[in-house]
Amino acid sequence: AVRIGAATTLVRLDDGWRADCTDVDGVSGALRSAGVGDLSDASAVVVGSGGTARPALVGLTDLGIRSVTVVARSEEKARATFDCLDDDIEARWLSFDAPELARVCAEAGALVSTVPAPAAAPYAETLAHAPCILDAIYDPWPTPLATAAEARGVRVVSGLHMLLNQAFGQVEQFTGLPAPRAEMARAVGLDLNSPHPA
């Protein structure tokens, strides 16, 4: 929570409160459900520079990325997200209309889109060059980005997997018990062995 500058979970302790940002686990867990494992020495792309971009950046570094490109309208806002990254992570900004965007996406290990579906829609064909995409949106589904990616044969995982994976950590922090993962997945209509809604 300190690193990201926001908390999604507060747990009461004997001496106060503990804050956590379980969205980080949501991002890394969702990508793992799409078959993404170790991204050591790989690059990644994060689309957007709003509140979900920072957990996405940290979640991707937890998977091992060494460099990241943040695609956003504002260079200033994009660069402001970089402070949650370790100093050894190379970070850069690209605009949505940058001519090299398709190549950067194709060379990345994964792409996380954190923007509303209509904001990504005009660039869906370009962004869909990435080999694996997490679209943080889950309703309505599929998004234009998910549709474009699936048409190219790209692995796509919805934001519902991100929501589910961050909830696992919340349940465990609240109860002190292992999360009933299969039951939680069924409750939101997901199969833990598939990146798509059931």
Side-chain angles (χ1 to χ4, degrees), residues 45 47 71 100-111 126-131:
V45 174
V47 181
V71 181
E100 68 269 35
L101 182 56
R103 177 185 55 78
V104 169
C105 291
E107 293 173 353
L111 179 146
T126 301
L127 298 172
H129 282 77

Side-chain angles (χ1 to χ4, degrees), residues 49 72-79 93:
S49 57
R73 288 187 175 89
S74 165
E75 180 177 4
E76 182 180 355
K77 278 190 72 178
R79 293 194 181 283
W93 165 78

Side-chain angles (χ1 to χ4, degrees), residues 147-172:
T147 300
E150 288 177 343
R152 292 180 61 88
V154 170
R155 293 173 291 161
V156 182
V157 64
S158 84
L160 199 54
H161 276 274
M162 181 178 162
L163 182 70
L164 180 64
N165 278 277
Q166 65 89 26
F168 294 154
Q170 288 180 322
V171 166
E172 290 173 356

Side-chain angles (χ1 to χ4, degrees), residues 53-116:
R54 287 172 179 259
L57 290 167
V58 175
L60 286 162
T61 60
D62 286 352
L63 292 172
I65 64 154
R66 305 311 314 153
S67 65
V68 64
T69 300
V70 174
V71 181
R73 288 187 175 89
S74 165
E75 180 177 4
E76 182 180 355
K77 278 190 72 178
R79 293 194 181 283
T81 66
F82 297 167
D83 63 1
C84 69
L85 295 169
D86 292 333
D87 291 340
D88 61 340
I89 304 293
E90 178 188 337
R92 70 178 184 146
W93 165 78
L94 271 185
S95 66
F96 281 96
D97 57 0
E100 68 269 35
L101 182 56
R103 177 185 55 78
V104 169
C105 291
E107 293 173 353
L111 179 146
V112 179
S113 178
T114 68
V115 299

Side-chain angles (χ1 to χ4, degrees), residues 6 12 16 18 22 32-35 43 53 67 77 86 88 103 116 120 126 140 169 176 179 181 192:
R12 181 79 169 152
R18 184 182 67 241
T22 56
R32 284 187 183 103
S33 74
S43 64
S67 65
K77 278 190 72 178
D86 292 333
D88 61 340
R103 177 185 55 78
T126 301
R181 294 178 179 235
L192 288 177

